[in-house]
Amino acid sequence: MARKRIRILVTAFGAFPGAPSNPTLRIAEGLGRARGRLDRLGVELVTATLPVTYKGLRKRLKRALDEQRPDIVLHLGL
């Protein structure tokens, strides 16, 4: 019997005023480079970049959750 794959959604924020690059985005991208190793362990990693505005955040997060239907969500923030 095949084991169910675990899907993990990692979210990070883009740049915001006063910080032209956001370290959370670099962390998520680094995790993304480990997809091959995670895949062999039965883990599917998906990432999403969230806007740093209240107006756009909710819609983008809901879309990511609806599209990816993750088992686990890890939100990175600064």
Side-chain angles (χ1 to χ4, degrees):
M1 185 164 121
R3 202 169 75 181
K4 180 185 181 285
R5 294 177 56 79
I6 296 172
R7 179 175 288 168
I8 301 174
L9 170 63
V10 178
T11 67
F13 289 98
F16 58 94
S21 68
N22 192 319
T24 65
L25 187 55
R26 291 194 305 270
I27 292 168
E29 290 168 349
L31 289 171
R33 289 191 292 275
R35 279 189 177 104
R37 285 180 278 159
L38 293 170
D39 189 52
R40 289 189 293 277
L41 296 171
V43 175
E44 180 182 0
L45 179 76
V46 291
T47 61
T49 303
L50 301 175
V52 187
T53 62
Y54 288 114
K55 184 178 181 179
L57 174 63
R58 185 175 184 167
K59 182 178 177 181
R60 176 63 183 105
L61 180 56
K62 182 177 179 345
R63 185 171 66 221
L65 292 170
D66 290 346
E67 289 175 2
Q68 300 302 329
R69 301 189 47 84
D71 300 297
I72 299 168
V73 179
L74 175 62
H75 298 288
L76 303 176
L78 180 61

